[in-house]
């Protein structure tokens, strides 16, 4: 099959049969550079009426722009229109928690046991388990004394 440089009447008839107007087929082929098969067979993108969901979004304080962005990210129309917007501070906390390398409960346990965050992290990097790193006291003299007097 060689190169085909122009649309024939037969191509236009195929396009019309597929719901594509003559001018749209011409635009696709000559101006957009689509190949013949795609030009005459690919359906036209139909616009979806989302006026209801846009109204629901507005009632929930969600702008049209935010609603559309959410749809582009793969959200359902209902979720995009009804999920409240987050403040910057809340979004920042969520991102921070997602990036948290060490479990918060162990960091809190370490703090309660007098172990600094820095010491806890160093211990974990050195291969200690979370529980041991959080509960082992940091006072070396005290630990040695306990070991000797056992």
């Amino acid at each position: 099959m060689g190169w085909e440089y122009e649309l024939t009447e037969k191509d236009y008839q195929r396009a019309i049969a597929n719901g594509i107007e003559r001018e749209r087929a011409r635009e696709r082929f000559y101006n957009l550079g689509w190949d013949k098969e795609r030009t005459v067979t690919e359906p036209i993108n139909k616009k979806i009426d989302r006026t209801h969901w846009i109204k629901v979004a507005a009632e929930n304080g969600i702008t049209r722009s935010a609603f559309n962005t959410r749809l582009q990210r793969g959200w359902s129309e209902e979720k995009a229109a009804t999920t409240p917007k987050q403040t910057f501070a809340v979004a920042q906390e969520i991102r921070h928690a997602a990036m948290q390398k060490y479990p918060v409960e162990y960091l809190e346990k370490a703090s309660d046991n007098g172990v600094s965050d820095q010491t806890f992290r160093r211990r974990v990097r050195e291969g200690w388990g979370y529980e041991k790193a959080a509960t082992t006291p940091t006072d070396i003299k005290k630990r040695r004394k306990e070991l000797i007097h056992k």
Side-chain angles (χ1 to χ4, degrees), residues 63-117:
T63 63
R64 185 183 196 128
S65 170
F67 175 74
N68 288 331
T69 299
R70 290 172 171 192
L71 292 177
Q72 289 172 350
R73 290 182 178 164
W75 291 32
S76 70
E77 292 169 331
E78 182 179 4
K79 183 180 176 187
T82 57
T83 304
K85 288 177 75 174
Q86 295 174 340
T87 64
F88 180 76
V90 170
Q92 191 174 21
E93 285 177 22
I94 291 169
R95 281 192 303 273
H96 179 71
M99 291 174 24
Q100 192 83 23
K101 183 175 181 180
Y102 303 103
V104 175
E105 61 269 13
Y106 287 107
L107 287 168
E108 290 171 354
K109 188 183 272 190
S111 179
D112 293 343
N113 290 318
V115 178
S116 70
D117 288 353

Side-chain angles (χ1 to χ4, degrees), residues 113 137-150:
N113 290 318
T138 56
D139 187 356
I140 296 171
K141 290 180 184 177
K142 184 178 177 184
R143 281 195 317 194
R144 281 188 189 150
K145 216 182 228 184
E146 287 174 356
L147 290 172
I148 291 172
H149 296 295
K150 282 190 174 180

Side-chain angles (χ1 to χ4, degrees), residues 121-139:
R121 288 183 175 99
R122 178 184 50 77
R123 288 174 171 179
V124 172
R125 276 195 313 272
E126 290 175 355
W128 291 35
Y130 290 136
E131 185 69 30
K132 183 179 176 187
T135 57
T136 305
T138 56
D139 187 356

Side-chain angles (χ1 to χ4, degrees), residues 17-92:
N18 288 321
I20 301 164
E21 295 177 5
R22 189 178 193 93
E23 281 305 309
R24 170 93 42 141
R26 184 172 170 65
E27 174 74 16
R28 287 176 168 186
F29 187 76
Y30 293 108
N31 295 342
L32 298 177
W34 290 19
D35 63 54
K36 270 191 181 186
E37 190 62 25
R38 183 178 175 204
T39 297
V40 298
T41 59
E42 188 168 309
I44 298 170
N45 292 335
K46 300 284 185 192
K47 289 192 177 186
I48 300 170
D49 182 22
R50 292 194 170 113
T51 53
H52 167 70
W53 289 113
I54 291 170
K55 287 178 186 173
V56 172
E59 291 168 4
N60 290 315
I62 299 163
T63 63
R64 185 183 196 128
S65 170
F67 175 74
N68 288 331
T69 299
R70 290 172 171 192
L71 292 177
Q72 289 172 350
R73 290 182 178 164
W75 291 32
S76 70
E77 292 169 331
E78 182 179 4
K79 183 180 176 187
T82 57
T83 304
K85 288 177 75 174
Q86 295 174 340
T87 64
F88 180 76
V90 170
Q92 191 174 21

